[in-house]
Amino acid sequence: MTVATRVIDPSAVRRSRNTGILFILIGIAIVLLFARTAEPGQTARMVLNPARQTAALRIPDVVLPVLPSLYAMAGLSVVLGVLQIVRGFGRLEGVILGLVAGFLALSFLTWAARGRSLNLIGIFETTLQRAMPIALAALSGVLCERSGVINIAIEGMMLTAALTSALFGSVSGSLWVGVLVSLIFGALLGALLAVMSVRYKVNQIITGTAINILAIGATSYISARYLATNPALNSPGRFPNVGVPLLSRLPLLGPVFFETNVIVYLTLVLLVVVHVMLFYTPWGLRTRAVGEHPRAADTLGIDVYRVRYVNVIAGGMVAALGGVFLVLGSVPRFDELMTAGKGFIGLAALIFGKWTPFGSFGASLIFGFTDTFQARLQILQVPIPSQFMRMAPYLITMIVLAGVVGRAVPPAADGEPYEKQ
Amino acid sequence: MDQETTLQERTPPEEGRDVRRPPRRRRVWGWLGELLIPILAIVTAFVLSGVFILITDVQVVNAFTRIPRRVAVPFTDPEDEISLEEALRYHPNEVIVGDTVEVDGRMLRVVEEVDDPDAEIALEEARALFPELRDGVTIYLDFFDKPQTGLRTAWNAIRTAYGALFEGAIGDPARIAAAIRAWLAGDPSGLPTAFYPITESLVAATPYILVGLAVALGFRAGLFNIGAEGQYFVGGLTSVFVGYSIQGLPLIIHLPLMLLAGVVGAGIWGAIPGLLKATTGAHEVINTIMMNYIAFALSDWLLSGPMMRPGGFRPISPAIAPSAMLPRLFPSPIRFHAGFFLALACAALVYWLLFHTTIGFELRTVGANPRAARYAGMSITRNYVLAMFLSGGLAGLAGANDISGLIGYMPNAFSAGYGFDSIALALLGRSHPVGVVLAALLFGTLRTGATRMQSAAQIPVDIIEILQAMVIIFIAAPEIIRALYCLRRQRGEAGRVLPSEGAAS
């Protein structure tokens, strides 16, 4: 329904205009918030080499004159905003949005680093690390929701996987055993969600909530009873950072993307694979058909239930990988409630990224960036309470969901059980 | 949206809701049927939680897999022995070790200490299993060699856990009886301690009633309020502000004012997702979750900034004025306060509002079928906003109530996970105020008992979460319960109170 009427939808025109206005507002904000408080002649030194020893080619630091850079980025944002209102960018709108968001972030960094130096690579690295679980959660959401099953249990799946990876990784002494067991548990929880929502047609929000509560309860229970008293059960070790030959020598990209651990590589590969599968293979077509119009898909001979089972179980495994990353990819230890809402932020990234793999990855990076930044605000002596930075991802999501800017249309059959006839 | 198009195909007249009043016998059975599923769900959840306790208990697992036995020569059946200490109770000053005494018609040999029958095995018995065995060694049996050992360990583990749960929630029956007897004899000093657990359960049930009502009211209007947690926080913030910033008012004005501040603040907070849903179609589930995290960050900022208690380092608010405290009804240590009756009054109010007023009728109509409601001239926007305002307000009242009745200030780690519990409560109570009150009493009891279970049986309180999750699953999918207990399907009742699918647009 909604797809057919999109072309003449007056609200789409309004949204496009709102996006343009947002770009202009960002331009004005850069001037008002940052440029106003910067002094003329100040420079910001951006260090583009990691602080540690790496294989990457060293490149010289970039010294930005603060005021001219800020005005340039503000001006560009305004120009793009005007262009957006006048003629629109069509398919490129998402890229332009990312660009303007990047301007905002970069001018923030330039302003924060005025009169001293800032290691950009360090910030990018942390951003990627923080974005990784969110990206995996969002990717899990892509798999589930594209087939029409809302998965708000991602949080619980991640939490369970975090525990199992820590526990089984420690007990077996092999990290891969931890990964494997976690994937199995993720698949089991996915199967539970699938059975409840496909076979029993229980409301998916309720099932998801139940799985979340179950995961919170069970992980806290085992953690309190065993891991807390027996540290040997909770020290699995961490996947080491491995450089990719050649690629890790790239300046900028090398240290950030190609000198991390194997789970990050796995995620990046998975991202591309899911994108290709979703948009260029029969499986992807079926998935999207089931998510948009299950009855039509059924009429064409697609087994709706099977598609949903497969996707939700796969989604559970991807979410589990996110949980594994939290433990084996970063701090090698399980803590109670350590996911701290990352599964839900993943859902936000999913909506922000319009239910596409790359879009949601981009959104995860933005959320990872705000997360990185709110931790550093104090160090940078920025007079904004870090809590407001922490609110940003959620506020952005609500704004996007409300359709003020951009357009977030869920798959038409999202969350609706399908009854065979 | 599919509902209308498929309505004719899906509900043949004979299976649909009967317009005429069913005969009396059917009505009674219907009532029992409504109760049967929740009760079976709770029982099953208890059983499964017990299984979870067992399979995560190292001792029990060992008793089922590797039972160590010392091969004893000669082996005497401990059933025929009595410890010296115990024998002396029957025959004071007359027995020494080695004697044989008569207890309850059985001849028992007096020993220093009765051997644990589970730790030893007779040589012949052991040789039957391992022919080349010498005495004095330890052998390991598995479950099937001596099933009673494993079963006994398992039973003991469960009994300790659930016994502590019961005792912590209701109190020790013997102690209560003794206290009442002493009271009748004119000594009321034992009463507070005896009744302490049960009053604690009621205290714990109070916020549960309110958040359960909040979610149930949302359900009735077709809305999923997952944001009870955040609304509880916001209600706490606004009410505590009124509680500490105003001084010198009489209780009769200050207390209602503080509670009202909690209701209004959280109500407005909750109304935002309702408004967004009505005007832009944004799903309230995502928005309420997002607003939870915004509320946490907001309260973190307020409590470590503008609302922080002066002269301290901890992120807590100043203490509220005594005139804003809900009165306690019994002397210390009993914390039972007037908030419980407030919560009951709210339940009655919600019942009246939902089922006996035009407003309630509109809310339920919008919840059952938004399109029909709009066709009948009801405003979807107004009803969504109103429902979420009331829902948020109830959750906020829970926060205000906890501050005003129990702690007296707002700490940063405030809620105990009401956001998710409230959904379980509303489901278990079938979105009916009476059901919610009953469910809340149960959950309050469980929570209080679980605290005791943690201290007495080393079972972490989190077992309650597992129990609740299973209750949700079984209530939401009664087919599972029906299949487990071979029940026949009730006509057209299941899932009636849930927000209708497709109400999203």
Side-chain angles (χ1 to χ4, degrees):
Chain A
M1 271 186 300
T2 41
V3 177
T5 55
R6 191 187 282 178
V7 189
I8 49 162
D9 187 1
S11 62
V13 177
R14 195 195 66 216
R15 254 189 302 275
S16 173
R17 198 190 57 218
N18 284 349
T19 312
I21 293 173
L22 177 81
F23 291 174
I24 296 173
L25 282 179
I26 287 178
I28 295 171
I30 293 176
V31 173
L32 287 185
L33 287 176
F34 308 135
R36 212 162 46 93
T37 48
E39 287 158 30
Q42 272 185 326
T43 55
R45 174 180 288 272
M46 299 295 184
V47 183
L48 297 175
N49 299 301
R52 61 194 149 77
Q53 199 68 37
T54 58
L57 297 171
R58 293 190 71 81
I59 45 173
D61 299 345
V62 175
V63 180
L64 288 175
V66 175
L67 271 182
S69 316
L70 289 180
Y71 281 123
M73 285 187 282
L76 269 174
S77 301
V78 172
V79 169
L80 287 172
V82 172
L83 280 178
Q84 165 78 18
I85 293 175
V86 174
R87 47 176 284 259
F89 287 100
R91 287 181 58 122
L92 280 176
E93 196 183 304
V95 180
I96 301 294
L97 181 67
L99 197 66
V100 175
F103 284 157
L104 183 63
L106 196 61
S107 40
F108 188 21
L109 289 175
T110 315
W111 171 73
R114 65 192 191 283
R116 56 190 143 170
S117 76
L118 186 69
N119 192 333
L120 275 190
I121 294 293
I123 287 180
F124 290 160
E125 278 177 335
T126 321
T127 297
L128 187 71
Q129 294 289 316
R130 304 250 168 139
M132 207 40 64
I134 302 172
L136 281 163
L139 199 60
S140 164
V142 169
L143 285 170
C144 298
E145 301 212 359
R146 278 288 179 160
S147 73
V149 178
I150 294 181
N151 184 358
I152 67 164
I154 293 173
E155 176 87 4
M157 294 169 176
M158 287 171 76
L159 197 57
T160 310
L163 175 83
T164 50
S165 65
L167 184 61
F168 288 91
S170 309
V171 171
S172 69
S174 155
L175 296 181
W176 287 108
V177 172
V179 174
L180 198 71
V181 175
S182 300
L183 290 184
I184 292 171
F185 269 87
L188 283 177
L189 287 182
L192 178 62
L193 176 64
V195 168
M196 294 288 283
S197 49
V198 177
R199 174 151 162 37
Y200 291 109
K201 300 183 179 56
V202 176
N203 189 305
Q204 294 161 10
I205 307 291
I206 288 180
T207 315
T209 309
I211 294 178
N212 279 338
I213 301 178
L214 187 67
I216 292 173
T219 54
S220 305
Y221 182 93
I222 292 171
S223 169
R225 193 146 191 210
Y226 296 110
L227 301 196
T229 51
N230 196 348
L233 294 176
N234 196 6
S235 45
R238 182 180 179 281
F239 278 112
N241 287 349
V242 189
V244 177
L246 285 179
L247 284 177
S248 64
R249 291 178 59 81
L250 284 173
L252 277 178
L253 292 180
V256 178
F257 283 102
F258 300 109
E259 254 179 19
T260 58
N261 61 53
V262 64
I263 300 183
V264 178
Y265 301 139
L266 214 58
T267 309
L268 296 175
V269 172
L270 208 58
L271 196 64
V272 177
V273 168
V274 172
H275 175 81
V276 172
M277 295 266 291
L278 199 56
F279 295 108
Y280 303 99
T281 65
W283 170 81
L285 190 61
R286 278 185 210 130
T287 298
R288 285 179 292 143
V290 167
E292 295 289 344
H293 203 313
R295 175 126 308 143
D298 197 7
T299 317
L300 291 174
I302 298 173
D303 187 341
V304 175
Y305 291 175
R306 212 182 95 113
V307 168
R308 288 192 171 171
Y309 271 114
V310 168
N311 277 33
V312 174
I313 291 173
M317 292 169 80
V318 172
L321 194 63
V324 170
F325 177 84
L326 282 175
V327 174
L328 302 183
S330 40
V331 283
R333 195 183 68 249
F334 177 82
D335 292 312
E336 282 178 37
L337 304 180
M338 73 184 299
T339 45
K342 291 204 172 53
F344 293 124
I345 304 184
L347 280 184
L350 169 76
I351 295 163
F352 198 40
K354 302 182 182 184
W355 283 267
T356 61
F358 285 127
S360 57
F361 183 70
S364 312
L365 286 179
I366 294 179
F367 293 168
F369 180 77
T370 58
D371 198 15
T372 310
F373 232 80
Q374 65 106 350
R376 293 196 185 204
L377 283 176
Q378 301 251 298
I379 308 168
L380 291 170
Q381 294 167 337
V382 176
I384 305 171
S386 66
Q387 289 93 346
F388 285 97
M389 203 71 185
R390 207 171 350 135
M391 286 180 206
Y394 310 109
L395 277 174
I396 295 172
T397 307
M398 288 180 68
I399 292 169
V400 171
L401 197 61
V404 181
V405 287
R407 183 186 173 82
V409 189
D414 208 7
E416 290 184 26
Y418 177 66
E419 192 104 36
K420 260 192 189 142
Q421 283 189 322
Chain B
M1 1 173 182
D2 248 12
Q3 272 182 341
E4 283 176 325
T5 52
T6 57
L7 202 63
Q8 297 129 315
E9 308 137 51
R10 229 178 36 199
T11 29
E14 65 271 19
E15 249 201 69
R17 270 141 236 170
D18 211 344
V19 185
R20 284 163 301 155
R21 218 168 152 72
R24 189 182 167 77
R25 213 179 51 159
R26 271 261 295 285
R27 282 210 311 270
V28 173
W29 275 113
W31 253 99
L32 283 180
E34 296 251 327
L35 277 179
L36 189 63
I37 295 284
I39 289 172
L40 285 180
I42 293 165
V43 170
T44 318
F46 259 103
V47 171
L48 286 182
S49 305
V51 172
F52 186 84
I53 292 179
L54 291 183
I55 59 174
T56 54
D57 189 324
V58 173
Q59 272 184 342
V60 174
V61 170
N62 276 344
F64 272 77
T65 50
R66 259 166 73 87
I67 313 165
R69 299 280 179 149
R70 206 175 54 251
V71 178
V73 187
F75 178 79
T76 43
D77 191 348
E79 293 283 310
D80 298 333
E81 294 179 347
I82 185 169
S83 70
L84 180 62
E85 199 184 334
E86 205 172 332
L88 280 173
R89 241 188 283 155
Y90 289 97
H91 306 277
N93 310 324
E94 288 177 17
V95 278
I96 53 164
V97 173
D99 284 354
T100 305
V101 295
E102 190 199 330
V103 175
D104 299 334
R106 290 195 304 152
M107 299 306 288
L108 301 177
R109 205 160 62 83
V110 178
V111 292
E112 198 77 58
E113 203 170 317
V114 177
D115 290 323
D116 181 0
D118 294 339
E120 294 185 347
I121 188 168
L123 186 62
E124 306 91 82
E125 210 180 324
R127 283 220 170 114
L129 297 165
F130 305 97
E132 277 122 68
L133 201 69
R134 287 174 298 111
D135 58 328
V137 297
T138 303
I139 62 168
Y140 289 95
L141 306 178
D142 66 17
F143 175 68
F144 294 102
D145 293 326
K146 238 190 168 157
Q148 61 269 41
T149 311
L151 292 178
R152 197 183 304 133
T153 320
W155 169 245
N156 281 340
I158 284 293
R159 211 188 46 189
T160 321
Y162 283 161
L165 181 75
F166 181 82
E167 210 171 286
I170 310 286
D172 186 351
R175 200 160 167 192
I176 292 178
I180 290 179
R181 245 181 279 123
W183 175 57
L184 290 178
D187 171 30
S189 64
L191 285 179
T193 28
F195 281 100
Y196 181 73
I198 206 161
T199 57
E200 271 306 285
S201 295
L202 294 181
V203 167
T206 308
Y208 275 143
I209 296 177
L210 292 168
V211 291
L213 286 174
V215 175
L217 196 133
F219 275 173
R220 287 281 176 185
L223 292 163
F224 257 112
N225 181 9
I226 308 224
E229 183 100 3
Q231 291 147 10
Y232 179 90
F233 263 78
V234 173
L237 285 171
T238 50
S239 65
V240 84
F241 180 75
V242 171
Y244 75 75
S245 63
I246 305 175
Q247 298 281 347
L249 282 182
L251 184 125
I252 195 91
I253 300 173
H254 197 184
L255 177 62
L257 200 65
M258 168 180 170
L259 296 175
L260 195 69
V263 173
V264 173
I268 293 171
W269 188 261
I272 296 170
L275 185 69
L276 286 175
K277 173 163 175 136
T279 53
T280 71
H283 207 302
E284 78 280 6
V285 168
I286 303 291
N287 276 337
T288 47
I289 293 175
M290 295 303 127
M291 289 190 71
N292 275 348
Y293 288 100
I294 297 174
F296 301 155
L298 188 71
S299 108
D300 189 16
W301 174 65
L302 284 173
L303 291 178
S304 55
M307 282 172 66
M308 192 162 144
R309 184 178 292 196
F313 293 100
R314 287 192 303 151
I316 57 174
S317 80
I320 59 173
S323 56
M325 290 291 280
L326 275 164
R328 302 234 165 132
L329 302 180
F330 296 102
S332 181
I334 291 183
R335 303 193 299 163
F336 185 75
H337 57 85
F340 182 71
F341 298 106
L342 185 71
L344 288 185
C346 281
L349 202 65
V350 170
Y351 176 79
W352 175 76
L353 182 84
L354 273 179
F355 300 106
H356 292 280
T357 65
T358 324
I359 298 173
F361 177 73
E362 283 203 17
L363 287 179
R364 286 184 293 131
T365 313
V366 169
N369 191 337
R371 283 191 179 192
R374 186 181 291 142
Y375 187 69
M378 300 170 185
S379 161
I380 305 285
T381 309
R382 209 192 59 212
N383 277 300
Y384 276 171
V385 172
L386 178 68
M388 285 303 287
F389 177 84
L390 293 175
S391 182
L394 283 165
L397 184 58
N401 175 73
D402 273 2
I403 288 176
S404 176
L406 292 179
I407 25 185
Y409 64 91
M410 168 108 181
N412 200 2
F414 182 35
S415 170
Y418 291 120
F420 283 146
D421 293 352
S422 55
I423 293 162
L425 286 162
L427 278 174
L428 188 58
R430 313 212 94 203
S431 299
H432 193 286
V434 176
V436 168
V437 169
L438 292 178
L441 288 175
L442 175 75
F443 276 27
T445 312
L446 286 179
R447 175 163 278 200
T448 317
T451 320
R452 160 96 189 167
M453 190 155 82
Q454 180 156 28
S455 58
Q458 283 76 49
I459 305 285
V461 281
D462 309 283
I463 191 74
I464 291 304
E465 308 264 334
I466 300 174
L467 201 101
Q468 284 173 10
M470 283 190 284
V471 167
I472 297 184
I473 289 178
F474 293 140
I475 293 286
E479 285 90 344
I480 299 178
I481 290 291
R482 291 210 189 88
L484 271 177
Y485 296 96
C486 307
L487 293 176
R488 264 190 322 164
R489 193 183 164 74
Q490 294 253 314
R491 283 187 174 186
E493 289 291 311
R496 203 167 36 115
V497 288
L498 297 182
S500 54
E501 304 294 334
S505 52

